[in-house]
């Protein structure tokens, strides 16, 4: 970048850019952080210094998104209904107040850079509602059949 020597005191910015090319027939996958699988890309910068000063190294992750597909994704809307009877992992269902929530998700095929959209309607509730929180749960499967491993991750977003 520059001839050996010293940078002036203060802040020195060195803009750079480089294309991401794959080697041979390999594939550049989107960044993904899962329970069993991680696809992560990092940039590492090493700064060599004189004998008396320790070398410096800094690493940071960057995210890779695939280019959108040529054609638009076909929306696949889904309607849902939530009642005490439809809840899973409830020990004492009889103690829950009665409620009815209906809604729809505009599409189950989503582009990661676009918002997740839909509608949620509270039709009835025996108890006062203080807040509603949406939770997106990702389930990933690695392997096939009974030998596959399952895990998940989640993201939460309060409704405004």
């Amino acid at each position: 970048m520059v001839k050996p020597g010293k940078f002036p005191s203060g802040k020195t910015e060195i803009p750079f850019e480089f294309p991401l090319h794959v080697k041979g027939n390999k594939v550049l996958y989107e960044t993904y952080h899962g329970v069993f699988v991680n696809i992560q890309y990092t940039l590492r910068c090493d700064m060599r210094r004189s004998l008396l000063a320790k070398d410096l190294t800094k690493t940071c992750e960057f995210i890779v998104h695939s280019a959108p597909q040529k054609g638009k994704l076909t929306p696949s809307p889904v309607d849902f209904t939530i009642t005490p009877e439809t809840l899973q992992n409830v020990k004492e269902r009889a103690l829950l107040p009665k409620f009815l929530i209906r809604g729809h998700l505009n599409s189950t095929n989503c582009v990661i850079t676009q918002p997740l959209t839909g509608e949620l309607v509270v039709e009835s509730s025996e108890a006062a509602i203080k807040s509603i929180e949406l939770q997106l749960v990702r389930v990933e499967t690695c392997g096939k059949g009974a030998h596959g491993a399952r895990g998940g991750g989640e993201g939460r977003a309060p409704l405004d």
Side-chain angles (χ1 to χ4, degrees), residues 71-146:
K72 288 208 168 203
L73 286 174
T74 304
S76 54
V78 63
D79 293 324
F80 60 87
T81 301
I82 306 171
T83 65
E85 292 75 34
T86 63
L87 298 177
Q88 298 175 358
N89 299 325
V90 176
K91 292 181 182 177
E92 299 187 32
R93 196 175 308 272
L95 298 178
L96 288 175
K98 301 288 183 222
F99 63 88
L100 174 60
I101 299 173
R102 294 189 196 277
H104 71 270
L105 191 59
N106 289 337
S107 183
T108 56
N109 295 327
C110 303
V111 177
I112 195 166
T113 56
Q114 299 298 313
L116 189 66
T117 60
E119 186 174 89
L120 186 79
V121 178
V122 178
E123 294 195 5
S124 64
S125 177
E126 284 182 349
I129 298 174
K130 294 180 181 178
S131 68
I132 296 176
E133 182 175 283
L134 291 180
Q135 181 179 7
L136 175 66
V137 178
R138 177 193 73 244
V139 177
E140 58 190 58
T141 304
C142 295
K144 292 183 178 179

Side-chain angles (χ1 to χ4, degrees), residues 55-68:
D55 291 348
L56 300 175
T57 297
K58 177 70 176 174
T59 303
C60 69
E61 179 180 9
F62 62 94
I63 307 298
V64 173
H65 289 294
S66 292

Side-chain angles (χ1 to χ4, degrees), residues 35-54:
V35 176
F36 298 105
V37 176
N38 279 323
I39 300 172
Q40 185 177 22
Y41 299 93
T42 57
L43 179 66
R44 190 175 106 185
C45 179
D46 295 321
M47 189 170 91
R48 307 280 180 231
R49 303 202 307 168
S50 66
L51 292 172
L52 300 175
K54 200 173 182 183

Side-chain angles (χ1 to χ4, degrees), residues 3-47:
K3 292 180 182 179
K6 293 184 177 181
F7 281 110
S9 60
K11 185 176 183 178
T12 301
E13 293 187 13
I14 304 171
F16 66 91
E17 67 178 53
F18 56 88
L20 293 177
H21 294 295
V22 296
K23 291 182 179 180
N25 61 351
K26 302 212 180 215
V27 177
L28 187 64
Y29 293 102
E30 279 195 4
T31 297
Y32 178 77
H33 294 280
V35 176
F36 298 105
V37 176
N38 279 323
I39 300 172
Q40 185 177 22
Y41 299 93
T42 57
L43 179 66
R44 190 175 106 185
C45 179
D46 295 321
M47 189 170 91

